[in-house]
Amino acid sequence: MGHPRDEGLSRRRFLGGAAGLAAGAAAVAVGLPSGDVSVASTRTVPDLARWREQAAHVTITRDDWGIPHVVGETDADAVFGMIYAQAEDDFGRIETNYLVGLGRLAEAEGESAIWQDLRRRLFVDPEALKGDCAKSPAWLRELMRAWADGLNYYLATHPEAHPRVIKRFEPWMALSFSEGSIGGDIERVPLTRLEAFYGNRAVAMADGEREPLFHELKGSNGMAIAPGHTRNGHALLLINPHTGFFFRSEQQVTSGEGLNVYGAATWGQFFVYQGFNANAGWMHTSSGVDNVDEFAETIVTGADGSRSYRYGNALRPVRTKTITLSYRTADGRRGQRRFTTFGTHHGPIVREADGKWIAFALMNRPVEALRQSFLRTKARDYAGFIEVAGLRANSSNNTLFADSKGEIAFLTPQFVPVRNDRFDYRKPVDGSDPATDWRGLHRLESLPQAVNPRNGWVFNTNNWPWTAAGADSPKAAAYPRYFDQAGENPRGPQAIRVLNARSDFTPRTLIEAAFDPYLTAFARLVPGLIAAWDRLPEGDRRKAKLVGPVRLLRGWDHRWGANSTATSLAVFWGEALWAPSARPAKDAGLPVWDYLADHVTDAQRLAALETAAERLTRIFGGWQVPWGEINRFQRNDGAIVQKFEDAKPSIPVPFTSARWGSLASFEANRRPGTKRCYGTGGTSFVAIVEFGPRVRAWAVTAGGASGHPGSPHFNDQAERYASGDLRPVYFHPDDLKGHIERSYRPGE
């Protein structure tokens, strides 16, 4: 059930010759194999001696699910072992994340990735990162060095591993991917518009750039429940990120310096992004707070060809920078392209619109982001967590927090620029008007939040902050408009529904709430369809043709299930209705769900049902098909983009896309050559944590811990994942006893 995934602007051709003036690209053929782009040899004798010495201070214990429990004498030792264990499980994903982060993906994948690399390099300068690394606090430099050493030691001890590009990792590289989110703010820059500007040609907007801002693959759910609303009197936390499958590694990392953290670490990063320690836990959800902005710059070209931009009553020179990018050619050699890029004090120029050059402003604080990402994993309570949040280097994620003191909280991102609320920052603002400039950052206490609310719970489903704690939520009227651009989504009412259902939560009932099958979107939309059919005159051909489908949906309880034929029909109907409605909804400034409920016509509702029934019949031979026959999980290779085949084993998944209100999300598509729909993302990791005197947790990950098809842990959690059957987490040493497959030091 495929839907475009990336937000973008409507298609338009650039006017005039400004883009032509801007683009200074040159292609150069270089007679070197592309693999030689990297730093030379991975190992030297002094390196190996140092790595072996550090490895002697690290123990990796694999439990019976293949999950690594890493223990180091120091934090640096633990980081060394953590990243080494990640590399054992999936080095390919680690390298790919840093090819993306460093703007070097085209060196592996060819010139088609050059625009993605250019977008990255507009904001990420390797030389600047080297300088940032050198100026970092000594403890952070030690961790970055241990990170690079752990990866390089893995490569030195695993000659069968063949990096596509990066043959040696350097400490500064860790700063290129420092906050753990699934794309970061940079991905809001549409690539086709960037290519049109710097490539000096008209480029059609990609389908994925036309969709509204949030998509279920970029979502997540988090809930925190206060002791007063639990049976055992202990705070509970739900950790449920929605990402592409196999996006993070599940690990426990412990040191003799106070580190003891468990959870999901994005491949290649040395901090647990979503997880918990013995006293506190945190879950991040993609936020609708507006913290990236576009400024429309008025460009003035002088008689000598120099370019300036208007700012107030003055002209300022346009900044220029040459960026040279390498790419892999079709014959495996290396080519280069050079771009003259432009910027203003607002940020790099990323496109042109209506005769203006558009500058893009976002958070670019890699050192602070890496400090905050690591230090919060050692926070023991809410006060400690907030102290770390004072670095204000989280720009894209809300946080749900709980601790063993019984404190719970919902927090919005800490990096939020202060702006003049009379301007609509959802659109490009006039860069020539100084009043549109950022005016520093909001103080933490001025941000929307809910800390220890009286109602006893907090949540977020990538929706607005205004319902995060029920009646005790922050009030929209008290904040500037830019504190929300997401609005509500169907998972929000569903979360409130399950949270209000009881005041005696246990870990088991919180798991059940996370997998509750009720689909709020269809509970809202299907009655309109039924009413439209009921209003048809008896002689209308649609009355007879749709009598069966309408009868099925009329009797449905709006709950997903593997054996439910109504779920299949409803999903196919919803998709048929969504496709022609997404653009009008965006143009009207409405969430698509509101548009579908209040603005589509009876004729559109009925036509979509005809389309759904016909499509099911064409593909499966009839319109009454159990949902589990369509919606499947399959993991048959370790590729980042895997191939799917109906003839190979797969398992049914009962839950649907989050689009329809399911908290448990499964994003599936028909693939080339398949009838069935196979998932590639959605609910990717789930953990329930209980903060009693002794922390307890349960978890499941999509597929398994290993990225190697030959491993017994490649797909050993798939059935548990599909059924919501979380396994106990072995957090304490005595939990781990009896569940150990192997204990070893890196290099052994």
Side-chain angles (χ1 to χ4, degrees):
M1 278 68 69
H3 307 290
R5 288 190 281 174
D6 292 327
E7 181 247 353
L9 304 160
S10 61
R11 177 180 176 180
R12 67 180 67 178
R13 293 173 69 94
F14 289 151
L15 305 176
L21 293 172
V28 180
V30 179
L32 292 173
S34 61
D36 289 346
V37 171
S38 304
V39 179
S41 174
T42 299
R43 55 174 132 177
T44 66
V45 172
D47 284 338
L48 282 171
R50 187 179 76 254
W51 299 338
R52 286 171 179 154
E53 180 180 358
Q54 187 152 36
H57 300 291
V58 178
T59 301
I60 301 172
T61 299
R62 297 278 179 172
D63 68 24
D64 50 15
W65 295 100
I67 293 163
H69 302 255
V70 180
V71 178
E73 293 183 13
T74 66
D75 286 353
D77 295 334
V79 164
F80 180 97
M82 177 188 190
I83 202 65
Y84 182 96
Q86 283 187 30
E88 288 182 303
D89 288 335
D90 207 327
F91 175 78
R93 279 182 165 80
I94 293 174
E95 186 188 19
T96 297
N97 281 345
Y98 282 91
L99 292 177
V100 172
L102 292 164
R104 297 179 63 183
L105 188 63
E107 295 178 42
E109 299 190 357
E111 195 172 6
S112 62
I114 207 79
W115 301 107
Q116 184 174 346
D117 286 352
L118 179 62
R119 177 176 65 182
R120 192 76 184 182
R121 292 285 296 277
L122 286 174
F123 300 91
V124 177
D125 183 341
E127 294 306 314
L129 292 185
K130 292 174 186 177
D132 289 338
C133 181
K135 294 181 291 186
S136 297
W139 66 267
L140 186 59
R141 292 200 306 272
E142 186 177 1
L143 297 189
M144 288 189 278
R145 180 173 180 177
W147 168 84
D149 285 350
L151 287 170
N152 292 330
Y153 190 44
Y154 169 80
L155 291 176
T157 54
H158 292 76
E160 72 280 7
H162 299 290
R164 293 193 292 169
V165 173
I166 306 175
K167 291 179 167 46
R168 183 180 179 92
F169 288 82
E170 300 293 337
W172 62 269
M173 293 179 178
L175 292 171
S176 70
F177 186 33
S178 58
E179 60 85 38
S181 192
I182 58 180
D185 302 325
I186 288 175
E187 290 196 354
R188 298 195 190 186
V189 175
L191 288 178
T192 60
R193 304 305 86 201
L194 186 76
E195 180 180 356
F197 186 83
Y198 285 110
N200 189 24
R201 59 179 178 272
V203 180
M205 180 166 278
D207 289 342
E209 294 174 337
R210 295 188 176 93
E211 278 284 279
L213 178 63
F214 284 102
H215 307 277
E216 45 277 9
L217 202 62
K218 292 188 174 181
S220 295
N221 305 317
M223 297 177 182
I225 302 176
H229 274 61
T230 69
R231 181 177 298 174
N232 297 330
H234 304 147
L236 293 172
L237 179 67
L238 166 67
I239 299 172
N240 178 205
H242 296 177
T243 67
F245 291 154
F246 329 124
F247 183 72
R248 294 192 173 106
S249 167
E250 187 176 345
Q251 297 182 282
Q252 183 176 17
V253 188
T254 305
S255 80
E257 296 181 337
L259 182 67
N260 186 10
V261 60
Y262 190 106
T266 309
W267 294 108
Q269 294 183 325
F270 62 75
F271 54 87
V272 167
Y273 182 60
Q274 291 155 325
F276 62 96
N277 57 41
N279 298 287
W282 56 95
M283 166 63 202
H284 298 307
T285 61
S286 298
S287 178
V289 171
D290 180 11
N291 44 30
V292 300
D293 288 317
E294 292 186 315
F295 293 84
E297 310 287 18
T298 301
I299 304 300
V300 177
T301 303
D304 60 355
S306 62
R307 298 182 188 88
S308 303
Y309 66 101
R310 193 170 300 285
Y311 185 69
N313 296 323
L315 291 178
R316 294 186 174 187
V318 172
R319 302 170 184 174
T320 62
K321 180 172 71 171
T322 298
I323 296 176
T324 301
L325 300 174
S326 297
Y327 62 91
R328 182 182 178 89
T329 62
D331 61 1
R333 299 167 78 81
R334 186 180 70 185
Q336 285 187 338
R337 292 188 65 176
R338 295 187 182 92
F339 298 89
T340 298
T341 64
F342 303 95
T344 71
H345 74 283
H346 294 121
I349 301 298
V350 299
R351 63 187 180 92
E352 183 183 5
D354 300 326
K356 305 282 188 178
W357 287 11
I358 307 300
F360 199 83
L362 50 69
M363 184 190 84
N364 194 357
R365 308 176 71 199
V367 174
E368 291 83 356
L370 190 53
R371 289 173 62 196
Q372 184 170 345
S373 295
F374 181 80
L375 289 173
R376 66 178 168 231
T377 68
K378 301 180 80 170
R380 298 175 60 85
D381 54 20
Y382 178 71
F385 194 87
I386 283 296
E387 182 180 356
V388 174
L391 289 165
R392 294 188 293 181
N394 164 24
S395 67
S396 57
N397 294 287
N398 304 312
T399 302
L400 287 305
F401 177 88
D403 67 23
S404 58
K405 293 181 178 179
E407 298 173 296
I408 64 170
F410 161 78
L411 307 171
T412 49
Q414 294 85 56
F415 179 93
V416 183
V418 177
R419 284 154 283 185
N420 188 326
D421 201 33
R422 69 184 173 90
F423 298 106
D424 184 359
Y425 286 90
R426 293 172 298 178
K427 305 172 182 178
V429 294
D430 183 1
S432 70
D433 184 350
T436 63
D437 274 8
W438 289 359
R439 306 293 181 184
L441 298 179
H442 276 273
R443 303 183 316 278
L444 294 188
E445 57 270 24
S446 72
L447 302 174
Q449 59 186 3
V451 181
N452 299 321
R454 289 171 297 176
N455 70 307
W457 49 257
V458 291
F459 83 94
N460 187 256
T461 61
N462 316 113
N463 59 335
W464 52 22
W466 321 129
T467 54
D472 300 310
S473 304
K475 309 304 180 188
Y479 297 93
R481 290 178 295 170
Y482 53 74
F483 273 107
D484 176 63
Q485 58 178 348
E488 185 56 281
N489 64 47
R491 282 178 290 136
Q494 169 67 343
I496 292 172
R497 175 181 168 273
V498 299
L499 286 166
N500 278 333
R502 62 194 317 138
S503 58
D504 62 344
F505 276 97
T506 65
R508 178 70 258 167
T509 57
L510 184 53
I511 293 172
E512 292 170 359
F515 286 87
D516 186 279
Y518 193 66
L519 297 171
T520 52
F522 288 128
R524 182 184 182 191
L525 297 176
V526 167
L529 170 65
I530 303 301
W533 185 86
D534 288 343
R535 285 190 286 266
L536 287 174
E538 287 303 323
D540 193 297
R541 66 164 187 86
R542 294 169 294 178
K543 195 81 169 181
K545 184 175 183 179
L546 296 177
V547 63
V550 168
R551 183 184 300 118
L552 178 63
L553 293 177
R554 193 191 297 272
W556 185 39
D557 61 1
H558 308 129
R559 286 171 165 80
W560 49 251
N563 296 319
S564 169
T565 57
T567 301
S568 303
L569 182 61
V571 168
F572 275 60
W573 170 70
E575 290 180 343
L577 198 61
W578 184 287
S581 302
R583 172 54 54 187
K586 186 176 183 181
D587 291 343
L590 293 171
V592 180
W593 305 280
D594 289 347
Y595 188 88
L596 296 180
D598 302 329
H599 294 273
V600 299
T601 65
D602 283 359
Q604 289 172 312
R605 293 184 177 99
L606 294 167
L609 186 60
E610 283 191 82
T611 298
E614 290 169 358
R615 184 176 169 221
L616 281 165
T617 300
R618 183 174 67 254
I619 298 171
F620 297 102
W623 57 265
Q624 293 178 283
V625 186
W627 179 236
E629 288 297 311
I630 299 171
N631 202 48
R632 311 289 289 190
F633 179 91
Q634 184 179 85
R635 192 180 193 191
N636 51 38
D637 62 52
I640 293 175
V641 180
Q642 83 165 24
K643 296 180 180 178
F644 298 90
E645 298 181 35
D646 287 335
K648 291 186 176 181
S650 63
I651 62 172
V653 175
F655 37 96
T656 70
S657 162
R659 171 169 294 187
W660 311 120
S662 179
L663 294 174
S665 171
F666 191 75
E667 301 311 316
N669 267 323
R670 288 182 70 194
R671 308 294 167 176
T674 74
K675 291 171 54 177
R676 289 170 156 175
C677 299
Y678 295 97
T680 56
T683 289
S684 55
F685 174 70
V686 186
I688 300 290
V689 190
E690 182 183 43
F691 292 99
R694 175 184 167 98
V695 68
R696 298 192 301 162
W698 297 258
V700 71
T701 192
S706 174
H708 303 292
S711 167
H713 305 301
F714 179 69
N715 208 35
D716 57 340
Q717 297 184 55
E719 293 282 356
R720 282 181 175 268
Y721 166 81
S723 60
D725 183 14
L726 278 62
R727 51 180 170 70
V729 166
Y730 310 134
F731 183 81
H732 304 281
D734 57 331
D735 295 334
L736 197 52
K737 287 181 179 178
H739 299 283
I740 296 174
E741 286 193 346
R742 184 186 175 210
S743 188
Y744 59 98
R745 299 192 186 280
E748 295 179 355

